[in-house]
Amino acid sequence: AQSVAQPEDQVNVAEGNPLTVKCTYSVSGNPYLFWYVQYPNRGLQFLLKYITGDNLVKGSYGFEAEFNKSQTSFHLKKPSALVSDSALYFCAVRDLRAGNMLTFGGGTRLMVKP
Amino acid sequence: DAGVIQSPRHEVTEMGQEVTLRCKPISGHDYLFWYRQTMMRGLELLIYFNNNVPIDDSGMPEDRFSAKMPNALFSTLKIQPSEPRDSAVYFCASSSSRGAEAFFGQGTRLTVV
């Protein structure tokens, strides 16, 4: 069975500082990995994905994520955080050879303070 | 495309009543997912469909929950009878097998009193 772990319930960072939101995964085959963001009272918005190729993927709003196969991780990063980045972030995995189910982690709340 | 459309946005109902949540996926998408979000349990996958066929419904909490997808344009999630512990935000999402990422609707906030 596939699974996703986000070890931090909350990440606090000062505006202008770099941020990292951690994610590790477990799948039987080759993973498709995703990051989503959720603002209050809204649905989840797609940020970026890794399917194949370059381990560093770039997405919306200046976010990027690094795929590390040996560590089974897919951490979300941004060089300089904005207060408006404060939201709930979800990591997700999909194994196209195992039914194509889309499984989410528990979410990490990012708080960026001015 | 208008994206994934869910209705209603908010639903307040009394315990024991039947509740039906609706979802219109993005045209051309062949996967549809139903999720439930609560503070306690986070985002849970309830059921998902491929080409209108249910693939995995192991996340459906009880027999009170049922989901259908009569065609590629429409899906419903029904709770009968509803209970206060069903109160949550229910999301529908769709994707194509080529694109891989799923797109979410705005959700239905269900309150059972």
Side-chain angles (χ1 to χ4, degrees):
Chain A
Q2 60 192 51
S3 64
V4 180
Q6 294 181 241
E8 303 154 316
D9 289 337
Q10 182 161 317
V11 169
N12 297 311
V13 64
E15 187 174 31
N17 283 0
L19 69 87
T20 299
V21 182
K22 296 179 180 177
C23 171
T24 59
Y25 66 90
S26 174
V27 295
S28 56
N30 293 322
Y32 283 24
L33 295 158
F34 309 88
W35 276 101
Y36 287 79
V37 61
Q38 185 181 31
Y39 297 100
N41 301 314
R42 302 293 296 274
L44 277 70
Q45 297 177 33
F46 169 72
L47 272 181
L48 52 80
K49 67 181 176 183
Y50 171 83
I51 295 179
T52 187
D54 194 347
N55 289 344
L56 184 65
V57 293
K58 295 185 183 298
S60 306
Y61 313 121
F63 283 93
E64 57 190 28
E66 186 167 13
F67 171 65
N68 187 316
K69 187 172 183 178
S70 63
Q71 297 185 3
T72 61
S73 68
F74 189 57
H75 300 332
L76 181 71
K77 301 181 180 184
K78 187 173 183 181
S80 179
L82 300 173
V83 172
S84 58
D85 293 329
S86 299
L88 190 56
Y89 290 82
F90 290 93
C91 182
V93 67
R94 201 168 183 183
D95 185 350
L96 269 63
R97 292 191 296 179
N100 227 345
M101 184 185 300
L102 181 61
T103 302
F104 283 83
T108 298
R109 186 164 299 281
L110 174 66
M111 298 289 291
V112 182
K113 300 183 179 179
Chain B
D1 200 310
V4 177
I5 299 173
Q6 292 187 245
S7 63
R9 289 294 309 276
H10 302 274
E11 177 80 33
V12 180
T13 190
E14 292 185 345
M15 182 174 63
Q17 296 299 304
E18 178 180 295
V19 176
T20 298
L21 311 181
R22 297 173 174 79
C23 175
K24 180 178 184 301
I26 292 173
S27 178
H29 282 187
D30 49 3
Y31 282 87
L32 185 139
F33 304 84
W34 281 101
Y35 291 89
R36 177 172 69 176
Q37 186 177 32
T38 62
M39 290 291 292
M40 292 298 295
R41 291 190 296 270
L43 197 61
E44 303 172 276
L45 177 64
L46 300 177
I47 185 172
Y48 76 103
F49 297 82
N50 178 216
N51 292 322
N52 314 333
V53 176
I55 303 300
D56 189 326
D57 66 353
S58 60
M60 297 285 262
E62 300 170 33
D63 290 344
R64 298 184 296 107
F65 286 69
S66 62
K68 295 182 180 180
M69 193 165 186
N71 56 60
L73 302 177
F74 185 65
S75 177
T76 59
L77 178 67
K78 185 177 294 186
I79 308 172
Q80 165 64 22
S82 58
E83 297 183 2
R85 60 192 168 122
D86 302 330
S87 298
V89 180
Y90 291 81
F91 287 105
C92 175
S94 71
S95 79
S96 75
S97 17
R98 292 186 301 277
E101 67 268 30
F103 294 88
F104 279 73
Q106 292 298 300
T108 296
R109 183 175 295 277
L110 174 65
T111 303
V112 183
V113 298

